[in-house]
Amino acid sequence: MQVKIDISRQQVEKIFGLEDYWCQCVAWSTTGTQKSQKAFVRIAYLRKNFEEEPLGKEVALDQEILLRCHPPEGVPPAEVEWQRNEELIDPKTDPNFFITVDHNLIIKQARLADTGNYTCVAKNIVARRKSSSATVIVYVNGGWSTWATWSACSAVCGRGWQKRSRSCTNPTPLNGGTSCEGQSVQKSACTATCPVDGGWSEWSKWSPCGADCSMWRSRECTQPTPGTGGKECQGLDLQSLNCTSEQCPQTASGAEDVALYVGIVVVALCLTLLLIILVLVYRRKKEGLDADVADSSILTTGFQPMGIKPTKPGVWAPRRAARSKNSHLLTIQPDLTTTTTSYQGTLRSRQEVTGKFSMSNGPLLEPLPNGSHTLHNGKLPSDPNDFMNRLSSQTYFKTLPRDNVNTSYGTFNFLGGRLTLPNTGISLLIPPEAIPRGKIYEIYLTIQTKEDMRLPLAGCQTLLSPVVSCGPPGVVLTRPVILSMDHCSDACLENWAIRLKKQSYEGTWEDVLQLGEEVVSEPYYCQLEAETCRVFTEQLGRFALVGESLSMAAAKRLKLLLFGPAYCSTLEYNIRIYCMDDTQDLLKEVMQMERQLGGRLIDEPHVLLFKDSYHNLRLSIHDMPQAHWRSKLLAGYQEIPFYHIWSGSQRTLHCTFTLERQSLSTCDLSCTLCVWQVEGEGQSFTLDFNISKDIRPLDSDFLLMDNCTPALAGPSAFQIPYLIRQKICSSLDTPCPNGADWRLLAQRLKLDRHMSFLASKASPTSVILDLWETQHFHSGNLNQLAAVMAEIGKQEAMIFLVSDGEC
């Protein structure tokens, strides 16, 4: 007999409750009872939520990965399997995977192929559950390749540089791995061996007269021997000459010898006559030249022995007015009454020059209302706007600024003069005799501030100076003028390859000079001082100083300027911090911009050295009184990218810190500003000021307020009077056996490095005095120069002094 019974779950739970139960079959008869074994009945289930799900990870290549999974509770217990990107993982086919007893997945060594979405799957007879996907990313950090070989030295002869490079490809960064740290290009100074041209040795002695009535002598190309691609000696290495000996009969002098002697005598007489004519012409020209300059009696009686020295030779006069204290030293003014050259345009004189200038062929002129003296030649001086319009209309000058703020101009003749852009550190000195006599030039000086005038820079190059234009190009100069402009390098030439660039007529920028490798025969020369660059040039145009770092030790000087609102009526207070190149023109630009924004300087400017280390600049503010102030900046610092500063693409880089005070009555603010380059040294500055008191106006002592006239023509543009200058040059240009000449003056003025350049000039002393004029225009102390002249004079018993009556 078979028995079947259907029992529902509800019936079982109603009778027996929720506990486990069992069933048993009982059979009986008259012979007895028999029971079957117990059949236990359990309710199967699988809950929905995993007790622990796998979490996504980012790991480096070859690292071990552990993904945890605790499946949901269920009856019977769930079985677990793992999937990657919806595909089943089988540890038997891929031994890199291992599933532990407690259902965790271990990836022994992470591979790029192991990147994906991992899912833990739990299942039993009731259901199948999936966990949320865990994203695993296997990244690769970049590694440097080996350094390539050094390139050839950039210089064919002398000092240059070479470089080598490496790439971040060993391995290449993948899946967000970090890039390689450090520099990809290394530069090193090198010295190339210069070619040596061969030179002849001395001729050997003549050989004895041979049987063929000839004798021989020879020489060798050994002094020096040609090397490194140098030229071989040119000419004969063996020379023969007829001779007379016992083997050769004695021959009497014939008619040919007599004709030879007569010819030699005639040539000698012609050369003597030509020399006499040249001497006479030279003396006549020299007398005519001296008559144009001054009365010769002044040159012969203008100097007397000096028995006193300046009282304070080490003190520099701050302004031109200080010359009145020592008017007896170097104070002769030129006499222009004998000049025969006609002049047109404007001569802008300094305020203390009140005398009238007269010309032999023109009327005596009255001073203009603005303090200028105008010399007429049948033509009125050009209008400033008309002058700028004429320049900007030419093709080469389309980028010339039309504002008068950044441009100075003037009319000059052979007496020279000076153009200055006030408060920018930019000036152009036109020495006397630089413009040929009889010529009159309208010359301008301007600074380029437009963004489209930025130079095309490559690699490690950076702009170290403003872009300055002087012109017009093409004017004829007989002596170099001196262009002065600020630079922001650390002035350590070992770390830099600094080049002077000039823009051609086609608009391209060309290297015309590399500092440290100057050639005196070139029309350009440069003197690099701590903060200023002096460019000697015989050709006007558009110039800029560009540096290329040779190592990460190369640094630019940055100037940090802090501004806040002059008046603050809200709880918020903004501090603007400018990080710009340390040049006066940028300082002036920022000051003008902040004046328009209504800002005020809240701390003195600070200088920071910014190194070529590829690291960004970070700024942060700390130590504020928490009870009264708080920062609204979400991050702990602000960061300026390295290349934004190094490339100079933005002239006025700045960042803003927004602070909030708790009450409008809170006006005192004290905090610490920290500025540092990532992984480099930094600086911290303490700020303590009252936001309601304007204690530092924009026109403060932090700016060098230059109130001089932008254009000065003639003697008023120079500290040294014209006749004294001529006297000094004629005295020191002539070499002296004991060295008491221009060389000693250069040593006293610390110009030893430029000896070869000075020696290449027709008048080295005049170049030295030109450089002295540019360096001491604002603070020139004639006492000090007179003291130097006195020291030189003592060595040859000559001390120069001029009395007031002779001036």
Side-chain angles (χ1 to χ4, degrees):
M1 178 184 293
Q2 290 183 347
V3 177
K4 181 179 179 182
I5 184 171
D6 292 329
I7 304 173
S8 68
R9 174 181 174 182
Q10 289 78 9
Q11 292 174 327
V12 173
E13 290 180 351
K14 182 178 180 181
I15 299 174
F16 298 101
L18 298 178
E19 299 298 329
D20 290 347
Y21 65 91
W22 50 266
C23 297
Q24 190 178 39
C25 180
V26 180
W28 68 92
S29 67
T30 55
T31 58
T33 301
Q34 187 68 34
K35 295 181 180 180
S36 68
Q37 63 180 1
K38 294 180 179 179
F40 289 87
V41 178
R42 292 184 175 88
I43 300 174
Y45 66 92
L46 183 62
R47 301 194 183 277
K48 294 182 179 181
N49 297 327
F50 282 74
E51 296 186 8
E52 184 177 8
E53 292 185 306
L55 300 176
K57 294 185 177 181
E58 293 184 6
V59 296
L61 192 68
D62 295 332
Q63 283 190 358
E64 182 182 276
I65 304 175
L66 173 62
L67 298 178
R68 297 183 179 276
C69 177
H70 197 169
E73 179 185 356
V75 175
E79 297 179 358
V80 174
E81 64 183 18
W82 284 87
Q83 293 181 353
R84 180 185 63 194
N85 298 332
E86 304 297 333
E87 294 183 1
L88 182 65
I89 295 176
D90 187 3
K92 294 180 180 179
T93 59
D94 191 347
N96 195 42
F97 294 103
F98 177 72
I99 300 178
T100 63
V101 177
D102 50 354
H103 311 301
N104 297 328
L105 176 64
I106 295 178
I107 304 175
K108 299 177 182 178
Q109 288 184 325
R111 302 161 298 188
L112 289 176
D114 294 331
T115 299
N117 296 321
Y118 287 79
T119 309
C120 179
V121 180
K123 61 182 180 179
N124 63 6
I125 60 174
V126 177
R128 177 186 176 95
R129 312 288 188 197
K130 281 188 176 182
S131 68
S132 58
S133 296
T135 301
V136 173
I137 297 177
V138 181
Y139 61 84
V140 179
N141 292 327
W144 287 114
S145 64
T146 57
W147 285 104
T149 57
W150 287 101
S151 64
C153 194
S154 61
V156 179
C157 172
R159 183 177 179 272
W161 55 269
Q162 57 183 167
K163 64 180 180 180
R164 63 176 182 174
S165 61
R166 58 180 178 175
S167 59
C168 190
T169 56
N170 187 27
T172 303
L174 294 172
N175 296 338
T178 59
S179 297
C180 304
E181 294 185 359
Q183 55 183 351
S184 61
V185 178
Q186 275 188 347
K187 292 189 177 181
S188 174
C190 61
T191 302
T193 306
C194 298
V196 178
D197 295 336
W200 290 113
S201 64
E202 295 292 334
W203 286 101
S204 64
K205 293 182 179 181
W206 288 102
S207 65
C209 189
D212 55 351
C213 285
S214 63
M215 54 184 179
W216 303 85
R217 68 174 180 175
S218 63
R219 58 180 179 175
E220 296 180 351
C221 188
T222 57
Q223 291 187 357
T225 302
T228 324
K231 297 179 181 179
E232 296 286 342
C233 300
Q234 301 295 324
L236 299 175
D237 60 348
L238 191 64
Q239 196 176 50
S240 64
L241 186 67
N242 292 334
C243 62
T244 303
S245 67
E246 296 177 355
Q247 289 80 11
C248 297
Q250 183 74 23
T251 58
S253 299
E256 294 179 356
D257 294 336
V258 174
L260 176 63
Y261 297 148
V262 172
I264 294 175
V265 172
V266 171
V267 171
L269 290 176
C270 292
L271 291 177
T272 304
L273 181 61
L274 180 60
L275 181 60
I276 293 173
I277 294 174
L278 290 177
V279 171
L280 292 177
V281 172
Y282 173 77
R283 288 183 176 179
R284 182 170 300 177
K285 287 186 176 181
K286 188 174 187 300
E287 290 172 0
L289 178 62
D290 292 342
D292 274 349
V293 176
D295 187 357
S296 60
S297 62
I298 296 180
L299 294 178
T300 56
T301 62
F303 291 96
Q304 300 295 335
M306 182 176 71
I308 59 173
K309 290 186 177 181
T311 56
K312 296 181 180 180
V315 179
W316 294 89
R319 294 293 176 190
R320 182 68 180 263
R323 289 179 54 189
S324 60
K325 298 181 181 179
N326 301 278
S327 59
H328 64 287
L329 294 175
L330 309 180
T331 54
I332 285 185
Q333 297 292 336
D335 181 9
L336 302 181
T337 58
T338 59
T339 305
T340 59
T341 304
S342 61
Y343 186 74
Q344 65 183 16
T346 302
L347 281 176
R348 301 174 182 273
S349 62
R350 296 200 181 185
Q351 296 177 359
E352 69 271 21
V353 181
T354 58
K356 301 181 179 63
F357 287 36
S358 62
M359 306 293 287
S360 60
N361 59 346
L364 187 65
L365 301 172
E366 294 298 328
L368 295 176
N370 61 357
S372 301
H373 302 288
T374 305
L375 303 183
H376 298 279
N377 189 23
K379 178 182 177 182
L380 292 176
S382 57
D383 181 69
N385 294 327
D386 177 64
F387 176 74
M388 299 302 297
N389 291 335
R390 283 189 286 112
L391 283 179
S392 59
S393 64
Q394 302 180 31
T395 304
Y396 183 77
F397 308 102
K398 286 183 178 179
T399 57
L400 184 67
R402 300 174 64 92
D403 57 12
N404 293 329
V405 177
N406 295 315
T407 304
S408 297
Y409 56 90
T411 307
F412 303 93
N413 67 352
F414 75 98
L415 293 175
R418 182 192 307 268
L419 288 175
T420 305
L421 297 179
N423 301 322
T424 63
I426 300 172
S427 65
L428 179 69
L429 181 78
I430 308 167
E433 307 295 342
I435 298 176
R437 288 176 177 265
K439 299 288 186 181
I440 298 176
Y441 295 152
E442 280 185 319
I443 297 180
Y444 68 87
L445 176 67
T446 183
I447 180 174
Q448 305 289 344
T449 58
K450 294 183 179 180
E451 295 299 327
D452 57 358
M453 280 306 302
R454 306 306 294 178
L455 273 72
L457 303 176
C460 304
Q461 291 183 344
T462 181
L463 187 64
L464 298 178
S465 74
V467 181
V468 180
S469 297
C470 56
V475 299
V476 178
L477 299 174
T478 57
R479 290 184 51 192
V481 298
I482 303 179
L483 176 64
S484 299
M485 53 186 177
D486 286 355
H487 71 88
C488 59
S489 75
D490 57 2
C492 184
L493 291 180
E494 296 179 357
N495 300 327
W496 289 95
I498 300 180
R499 295 178 176 84
L500 178 68
K501 286 183 176 288
K502 182 175 183 290
Q503 191 176 31
S504 65
Y505 285 96
E506 293 77 14
T508 59
W509 287 89
E510 303 171 347
D511 293 341
V512 296
L513 175 69
Q514 179 167 343
L515 270 67
E517 299 181 4
E518 299 91 343
V519 179
V520 295
S521 60
E522 295 294 331
Y524 308 98
Y525 193 81
C526 186
Q527 182 197 20
L528 193 70
E529 300 173 4
E531 298 179 356
T532 307
C533 173
R534 316 281 183 188
V535 178
F536 295 78
T537 175
E538 298 176 9
Q539 299 177 5
L540 302 183
R542 185 168 292 145
F543 298 92
L545 206 63
V546 172
E548 184 172 7
S549 61
L550 298 178
S551 68
M552 289 192 294
K556 290 178 64 174
R557 293 193 326 274
L558 298 183
K559 179 153 287 185
L560 304 181
L561 295 176
L562 282 72
F563 289 91
Y567 304 99
C568 181
S569 59
T570 63
L571 295 178
E572 287 189 355
Y573 187 79
N574 295 323
I575 297 179
R576 291 182 294 276
I577 304 177
Y578 290 82
C579 303
M580 61 187 189
D581 293 347
D582 186 13
T583 56
Q584 291 186 52
D585 65 296
L586 282 180
L587 179 61
K588 175 184 176 181
E589 184 176 339
V590 170
M591 289 293 185
Q592 292 174 342
M593 184 168 58
E594 280 293 329
R595 188 178 289 110
Q596 296 175 356
L597 295 175
R600 64 153 175 153
L601 200 62
I602 60 177
D603 195 29
E604 65 181 30
H606 301 281
V607 176
L608 175 71
L609 289 179
F610 186 77
K611 293 186 177 181
D612 181 19
S613 61
Y614 302 96
H615 293 308
N616 301 338
L617 188 68
R618 290 181 178 177
L619 303 96
S620 59
I621 291 182
H622 307 276
D623 303 333
M624 288 187 301
Q626 299 297 328
H628 304 287
W629 292 88
R630 72 179 185 90
S631 173
K632 299 190 70 175
L633 185 68
L634 298 179
Y637 57 84
Q638 294 200 53
E639 190 166 279
I640 301 177
F642 169 82
Y643 283 104
H644 285 189
I645 299 176
W646 197 257
S647 66
S649 57
Q650 302 179 35
R651 290 171 57 86
T652 54
L653 277 172
H654 71 278
C655 58
T656 302
F657 286 88
T658 302
L659 309 180
E660 185 177 32
R661 49 181 173 169
Q662 303 297 329
S663 171
L664 291 175
S665 61
T666 301
C667 296
D668 292 325
L669 174 60
S670 61
C671 57
T672 301
L673 171 65
C674 295
V675 184
W676 75 99
Q677 209 169 350
V678 179
E679 298 185 9
E681 297 180 357
Q683 299 183 29
S684 60
F685 312 104
T686 301
L687 307 179
D688 191 357
F689 60 97
N690 189 299
I691 67 173
S692 63
K693 295 181 181 179
D694 192 2
I695 58 175
R696 290 188 179 95
L698 288 184
D699 295 332
S700 63
D701 294 336
F702 303 128
L703 268 178
L704 177 60
M705 301 306 295
D706 187 359
N707 296 320
C708 69
T709 306
L712 292 170
S716 61
F718 304 97
Q719 296 269 13
I720 307 172
Y722 184 79
L723 294 184
I724 292 298
R725 176 193 180 91
Q726 296 293 92
K727 198 77 172 181
I728 295 175
C729 292
S730 61
S731 174
L732 296 184
D733 279 343
T734 305
C736 186
N738 59 359
D741 50 23
W742 65 269
R743 294 169 295 180
L744 186 57
L745 177 62
Q747 292 176 1
R748 290 288 189 272
L749 298 180
K750 299 180 180 179
L751 301 176
D752 306 56
R753 176 181 174 272
H754 312 292
M755 285 296 189
S756 59
F757 168 71
L758 297 173
S760 67
K761 300 304 176 184
S763 175
T765 309
S766 63
V767 179
I768 295 174
L769 297 181
D770 293 341
L771 186 57
W772 186 90
E773 290 278 2
T774 62
Q775 293 173 331
H776 306 102
F777 179 51
H778 295 287
S779 58
N781 189 345
L782 291 177
N783 282 355
Q784 188 184 51
L785 183 59
V788 173
M789 295 298 301
E791 293 179 7
I792 298 176
K794 285 182 180 179
Q795 298 181 11
E796 55 179 352
M798 292 178 61
I799 302 176
F800 304 135
L801 175 65
V802 179
S803 64
D804 295 336
E806 293 170 327
C807 293

